[in-house]
Amino acid sequence: MSAERGAKKVRNRFLTVLAIISFAVFLQQAPNLLDGYKIRIMNMIAINAILGLSLNLIYGMAGMFSLGHAGFMAVGAYVSALLILTPAQKTAMWILDPIAPWLLGVHAPFLISILAAGLAAAFFGWLISMPVLRLGGDYLGIATLGFSEILRILITNLTPITNGPLGLKGIPAHTNLRVSYGILLVTLFCTVRLMKSNFGNVIKAVRDDETAARTMGINTFQTRVLAFTIGCFGAGVGGALMGNIITTIDPRMFTINQTYNTLMIVVIGGLGSITGSVVGSVLVTVMLEWLRFVENPIMIGSTQLFLSGKPGMRMVIFSLLLIGVIIFRREGVMGMKEFSWDRLFSFFSRQRGDAA
Amino acid sequence: MRKVILGVLICMFACGAAFAADDVIRIGFFNSLTGQNAFGGQLELEGVQLAMKEIPEIIGKKVELVIVDNKSDKVESANAVTRLIENDKVSAIIGSYGSSLTMAGSEVAEVGRVPLLTTSSTNPLVTQDKKFTFRACFIDPQQGAGAATYAIRTLGYKKAALLVDVANDYSVGLAAFFRNSFVKLGGEIVSDMRYNSGDQDFTAQLTEIISKEPDVVLLPAYFAEGAIILKQARELGAKFRFMGGDAMDNPEMVTLAGEAIEGFIYTGFAYAPDMPDMNPVAAKFTELWKKEYPGKETNANAALGYDCYMMYVDAITRAGSADPEKIRDALEATKDLPTVTGVTTLDADHNPQKDIGILEIKDGKKTFVGTVVPEM
């Protein structure tokens, strides 16, 4: 029995490595196979998946209803952008107030700026988690939403540092498939390891029954602070990557709508499921772009299809699909389940069994 | 049930991937057709469509307009332009209402090497150091200076106050440029008050401004907040005059603000449907608009949409080709082109030098007062 399990483990690990390598080869070839539009969408999928995973850690796995993701993304995006921009670019851009002198010479390469973005967001996350995580449920949601707005308003008004409402532009487009999927892979690996470790069990215990967890001797407050801070690190990294793909950022990008987008990905994919966040990200990102065709006039013969060609139709249909998901599959596409090779194999063998 | 839904989706996809003939020129149009900027975006679209109806063919090829919505959102803006370039293979792009949205799109256009001509993005950063980005409107430094010049030279005002939406790049920029010119021309800024987009109560700021007794208050707001501010100022018994920018140019404004808007002056593009001494292009545009959209009031945004299309008609005709790089080169050389909002000549920074129009609300109606040449 244990030998069989060992063999399965080896097989699974082999398959995982194989899948990663073949996907890497695909990414390497992607610029030849796909046009820039599809590559951009693929990049957005990876970034949304990173954001989804980090929010899922906070909301799905640790059970803390946070609406502050956009604020932490903003911190990440700004830190990364300010580190990457050259002094010449900075002087040209600050047309309202001159830039703070100490900021002018600060410069770092792209990957370091991403790391710094994550750390800065994690710091702010840690800072707010101290007072706020004593709250629970909806109150936590309100408090984090408020903090996120505070961050945004600070960014809007700290003109010498952030260029205020004018935002930053001309950020080099460093985000490419290799970077975004590389970071997604690291995020996935870390999340999976984290959830399989003892800390993962502790987080789930705190989520499911805090009193019971505390009775078992778990420091529930510390656990929640740690989970929240790690989640914010992910938000900072995601925000930085997003800034580096759009190449221009301003405070209005990071309103509550941005948080809702990420929340949607997590809920559609399945709260608490790592696979779910990735699947949710693919679904939401691809659907929103793909549904664009309904906003062009659709001709059947010589008559225009009813309601086609109206701007905004895309969002109507998308919302209907969302309502469908919520009605028919409330727990999200994946529920709390995870992808595993074993389940895939048993699924196929069952199918074959049915056929026979 | 599931099969039916799947079938419907597949059908929709099949319809979506419709093909087009080769001998067409495709012009992409990305704008805010939904979301907070939808009003301006929609008018600009109607302006473009009006121009397209007038000239449906350039250099013997039929023009096809590909319209994508950006939901007044930056990420969507970048996606929309990428789609236009990569998926729809457009030769040229007409850009968005809202400077930050245009900036997100123009970064993509620069990489894709397709010219992008923005209708009404007045932020100077939009075309700064850009090779493929152009604009049909004036820039905020000119507009701010124009307002200051008019306030001091024509109206003889000396003391001004500012009431600025700090969450809005347009508002902050315009106020800063107004302040520079106003001080330079010998005026004094007596008060500098702030608010945030979406605020509803402005009585605290207005009371403070009233106590400073300015001659004029610059209100570089969008019309939604602008109308509320005008109403509340009237209720508080304010005696000073309000001035605004082109974002207040909106037919809804008078309905929203009612009597409080009487005497309001704003700078805008040198076009209004009732302006005297209209240039021939503007007269033609107004006539076409009345025929096409009877009962709907036009404004400068629609005029700029029309101008953008006509600038491409001119550039593509001179280039003699639908190649994006050739269109870019021709567009850069645009010179003395008569357009609705004045004669268009693009300078080295791809900005036209256009007169600043001064408009005033008289007897509840938008009235074109004249133009002003800004003293910078």
Side-chain angles (χ1 to χ4, degrees):
Chain A
M1 186 69 196
S2 79
E4 193 190 332
R5 199 177 290 168
K8 262 191 178 171
K9 207 170 175 184
V10 171
R11 180 199 70 188
N12 289 352
R13 188 157 293 174
F14 175 72
L15 284 173
T16 308
V17 171
L18 198 69
I20 291 174
I21 291 177
S22 44
F23 193 68
V25 170
F26 166 69
L27 286 185
Q28 199 69 32
Q29 290 303 312
N32 308 329
L33 301 172
L34 304 171
D35 60 31
Y37 176 54
K38 297 200 177 79
I39 286 179
R40 173 174 283 268
I41 293 173
M42 290 209 36
N43 271 316
M44 289 311 295
I45 289 174
I47 295 170
N48 281 334
I50 293 168
L51 291 169
L53 282 169
S54 57
L55 185 62
N56 203 354
L57 181 71
I58 297 175
Y59 184 26
M61 291 156 202
M64 297 177 281
F65 183 49
S66 163
L67 289 176
H69 230 54
F72 301 111
M73 283 172 66
V75 170
Y78 268 90
V79 166
S80 161
L82 287 171
L83 284 173
I84 294 174
L85 289 171
T86 61
Q89 275 179 306
K90 285 180 190 167
T91 7
M93 231 182 305
W94 265 254
I95 48 177
L96 297 176
D97 280 333
I99 182 171
W102 57 269
L103 195 61
L104 195 58
V106 183
H107 190 75
F110 173 61
L111 283 176
I112 300 209
S113 85
I114 295 283
L115 194 64
L119 288 175
F123 170 74
F124 278 100
W126 174 78
L127 203 68
I128 186 60
S129 67
M130 286 300 178
V132 152
L133 286 190
R134 295 180 192 278
L135 303 170
D138 303 343
Y139 301 104
L140 179 64
I142 295 167
T144 44
L145 170 62
F147 186 67
S148 159
E149 281 295 293
I150 291 174
L151 284 177
R152 196 171 64 80
I153 289 169
L154 275 178
I155 291 172
T156 309
N157 287 287
L158 282 175
T159 313
I161 297 174
T162 60
N163 204 17
L166 292 190
L168 304 175
K169 63 150 198 161
I171 309 164
H174 280 303
T175 304
N176 53 30
L177 288 177
R178 209 177 300 172
V179 170
S180 52
Y181 279 90
I183 293 178
L184 175 61
L185 189 67
V186 173
T187 317
L188 269 174
F189 180 77
C190 293
T191 320
V192 170
R193 297 304 299 181
L194 192 73
M195 291 319 288
K196 282 194 174 162
S197 72
N198 188 43
F199 182 68
N201 295 330
V202 170
I203 289 183
K204 284 183 209 153
V206 173
R207 172 191 67 192
D208 291 337
D209 193 332
E210 196 177 346
T211 318
R214 201 179 300 149
T215 320
M216 299 291 287
I218 294 170
N219 185 341
T220 55
F221 180 65
Q222 210 175 13
T223 310
R224 297 173 79 188
V225 168
L226 193 56
F228 192 80
T229 311
I230 298 174
C232 290
F233 183 90
V237 170
L241 287 174
M242 192 173 268
N244 277 288
I245 191 169
I246 304 173
T247 72
T248 148
I249 51 174
D250 70 71
R252 271 167 303 157
M253 256 174 84
F254 302 102
T255 54
I256 181 76
N257 286 333
Q258 185 65 55
T259 305
Y260 287 151
N261 275 348
T262 314
L263 198 61
M264 191 160 70
I265 288 168
V266 176
V267 172
I268 286 190
L271 274 177
S273 165
I274 298 173
T275 321
S277 290
V278 179
V279 171
S281 161
V282 174
L283 281 181
V284 170
T285 318
V286 170
M287 278 310 252
L288 268 182
E289 283 302 317
W290 178 69
L291 281 173
R292 270 186 196 281
F293 74 84
V294 299
E295 295 188 359
N296 294 329
I298 300 171
M299 306 305 272
I300 294 180
S302 60
T303 47
Q304 190 175 331
L305 188 65
F306 178 60
L307 281 181
S308 69
K310 293 253 186 308
M313 263 328 270
R314 169 169 70 115
M315 299 313 294
V316 174
I317 292 180
F318 187 72
S319 312
L320 286 176
L321 290 176
L322 277 190
I323 294 171
V325 169
I326 296 302
I327 291 176
F328 294 110
R329 206 172 160 80
R330 190 174 302 169
E331 68 279 19
V333 174
M334 291 300 290
M336 283 220 187
K337 295 194 205 80
E338 295 294 352
F339 170 83
S340 81
W341 295 109
D342 290 343
R343 185 170 293 137
L344 194 71
F345 277 107
S346 66
F347 177 76
F348 277 118
S349 56
R350 212 182 316 139
Q351 294 264 311
R352 212 175 301 146
D354 288 349
Chain B
M1 182 63 194
R2 225 171 250 177
K3 271 182 190 159
V4 173
I5 293 174
L6 202 69
V8 170
L9 283 175
I10 290 172
C11 285
M12 281 157 79
F13 184 67
C15 297
F19 285 96
D22 256 353
D23 53 344
V24 294
I25 296 179
R26 295 175 154 213
I27 295 184
F29 179 86
F30 81 106
N31 214 323
S32 312
L33 302 174
T34 57
Q36 69 185 67
N37 294 344
F39 183 86
Q42 193 64 42
L43 274 168
E44 285 170 10
L45 174 60
E46 281 157 355
V48 171
Q49 284 171 332
L50 192 66
M52 203 176 134
K53 204 156 198 183
E54 192 189 337
I55 305 186
E57 277 188 19
I58 316 176
I59 53 169
K61 292 179 180 178
K62 202 172 172 315
V63 179
E64 192 184 300
L65 192 68
V66 187
I67 304 161
V68 281
D69 175 25
N70 65 26
K71 270 172 67 191
S72 311
D73 177 283
K74 257 181 135 155
V75 180
E76 293 271 338
S77 237
N79 286 350
V81 176
T82 318
R83 186 191 161 95
L84 286 176
I85 295 174
E86 301 284 351
N87 211 38
D88 301 316
K89 312 264 184 242
V90 297
S91 302
I93 299 171
I94 297 177
S96 185
Y97 185 92
S99 293
S100 61
L101 301 174
T102 304
M103 268 194 255
S106 78
E107 297 285 349
V108 179
E110 293 288 318
V111 177
R113 304 181 76 76
V114 174
L116 187 154
L117 178 59
T118 171
T119 40
S120 59
S121 302
T122 48
N123 184 332
L125 294 181
V126 172
T127 52
Q128 190 189 62
D129 305 325
K130 289 279 161 63
K131 196 162 178 253
F132 285 83
T133 311
F134 300 82
R135 77 175 111 215
C137 53
F138 50 62
I139 56 176
D140 284 335
Q142 293 167 356
Q143 183 175 195
T149 310
Y150 187 75
I152 287 200
R153 297 282 186 244
T154 311
L155 300 174
Y157 292 150
K158 286 277 171 279
K159 288 196 290 182
L162 309 172
L163 186 52
V164 185
D165 179 354
V166 283
N168 185 319
D169 53 344
Y170 161 80
S171 184
V172 172
L174 191 55
F177 302 123
F178 175 87
R179 171 202 289 270
N180 289 347
S181 299
F182 198 77
V183 173
K184 208 189 254 173
L185 295 172
E188 186 195 354
I189 304 288
V190 291
S191 178
D192 180 0
M193 300 309 287
R194 299 163 168 216
Y195 67 93
N196 274 298
S197 314
D199 284 359
Q200 296 288 324
D201 178 21
F202 305 91
T203 44
Q205 292 96 322
L206 287 168
T207 314
E208 170 73 17
I209 290 177
I210 290 171
S211 74
K212 293 279 167 39
E213 299 179 339
D215 302 320
V216 61
V217 174
L218 182 76
L219 181 65
Y222 277 85
F223 69 99
E225 282 98 4
I228 305 176
I229 292 173
L230 291 172
K231 266 189 166 166
Q232 294 184 353
R234 183 58 68 97
E235 279 159 18
L236 289 169
K239 297 277 189 300
F240 47 72
R241 193 159 206 173
F242 275 104
M243 281 183 90
D246 62 292
M248 291 290 270
D249 185 33
N250 185 318
E252 295 285 311
M253 202 173 53
V254 179
T255 328
L256 285 173
E259 282 184 8
I261 202 164
E262 194 60 35
F264 179 72
I265 293 183
Y266 61 98
T267 50
F269 305 97
Y271 171 77
D274 62 340
M275 67 194 279
D277 320 321
M278 213 181 260
N279 71 48
V281 188
K284 191 170 173 198
F285 167 75
T286 315
E287 190 192 325
L288 284 171
W289 180 279
K290 279 183 183 148
K291 210 184 285 167
E292 183 71 26
Y293 309 104
K296 183 164 180 176
E297 202 177 326
T298 182
N299 83 341
N301 290 101
L304 285 168
Y306 184 90
D307 280 355
C308 278
Y309 184 84
M310 290 306 178
M311 281 168 78
Y312 272 137
V313 171
D314 172 63
I316 294 171
T317 311
R318 276 186 291 114
S321 150
D323 178 53
E325 303 255 0
K326 286 189 182 137
I327 297 176
R328 187 216 87 92
D329 293 342
L331 191 62
E332 193 171 39
T334 299
K335 201 163 181 283
D336 300 329
L337 178 73
T339 54
V340 178
T341 51
V343 178
T344 302
T345 301
L346 290 177
D347 66 11
D349 290 326
H350 299 174
N351 300 324
Q353 299 287 331
K354 284 188 176 169
D355 286 347
I356 314 287
I358 302 288
L359 298 104
E360 187 179 345
I361 307 292
K362 279 182 191 161
D363 304 323
K365 283 192 107 174
K366 181 167 88 175
T367 316
F368 193 83
V369 180
T371 57
V372 61
V373 180
E375 293 179 36
M376 301 280 278

